[in-house]
Amino acid sequence: PIDDPNLAFIRGHVSDETLKRANLSQAKTVIILGNDRLDASIRDATAVLSTLTVESLNPDAYTIVELIDQAHAVTCYRAQANEVIIISDLSSMLISQAALNHGISKVISELLSVQVGNQLYKLPLPPTQAGRPFIDVFMYMKQTSESIVVALQKGAEGEVISNPENGQIVSASDYLIVIANSAP
């Protein structure tokens, strides 16, 4: 839990009462975290069941689910989760990258921290950049807002393309995922 007027953190079992307290019917985004006190398989099964419940009550909510085991991700997507984050995979990949490329973990930690340094932001394409090649948009963002474009998202919820090709034409409906010191 963090002090943010746009964030409501509700602790409890997935039940009608808890979901009512969480105002699920009005929620735009739902984050389902696993219970650390449970065995990994039971923890993931509970998260999948919670996803089914949330999606059946508010199918319009964007649901992000934390899992331990990649094997349960397919089931979670079948339950209509929008994003599944496999924490064991992330941890393993970060450790591997830190071993191969010293200092990488410090960069990732900074990007994911809300306290210091640069962060990741998603923002709509500036209207003047529609129809231009990605490399031009990349240069424009660096020059005008000191931000680095690392990915392009096709529409607000569409495909994410990391490190797009220089010649990729950017559409007016696209979003940019950037690294910046503050929201551009």
Side-chain angles (χ1 to χ4, degrees), residues 63-76:
T63 308
I64 304 162
V65 184
E66 172 196 53
L67 294 177
I68 300 288
D69 189 344
Q70 177 69 41
H72 300 121
V74 172
T75 306
C76 205

Side-chain angles (χ1 to χ4, degrees), residues 85-100:
I85 298 172
I86 312 296
I87 58 173
S88 59
D89 287 356
L90 287 175
S91 176
S92 297
M93 287 185 274
L94 185 56
I95 291 168
S96 300
Q97 283 299 315
L100 295 171

Side-chain angles (χ1 to χ4, degrees), residues 66-138:
E66 172 196 53
L67 294 177
I68 300 288
D69 189 344
Q70 177 69 41
H72 300 121
V74 172
T75 306
C76 205
Y77 281 120
R78 281 189 193 129
Q80 301 303 307
N82 297 95
E83 285 190 50
V84 175
I85 298 172
I86 312 296
I87 58 173
S88 59
D89 287 356
L90 287 175
S91 176
S92 297
M93 287 185 274
L94 185 56
I95 291 168
S96 300
Q97 283 299 315
L100 295 171
N101 302 294
H102 300 174
I104 291 282
S105 68
K106 292 175 183 166
V107 173
I108 300 300
S109 294
E110 178 183 332
L111 292 176
L112 298 177
S113 167
V114 294
Q115 282 82 26
V116 297
N118 289 285
Q119 294 178 33
L120 291 166
Y121 296 94
K122 176 179 161 181
L123 50 128
L125 180 73
T128 61
Q129 299 304 298
R132 299 181 60 91
F134 173 76
I135 191 66
D136 292 352
V137 175
F138 181 92

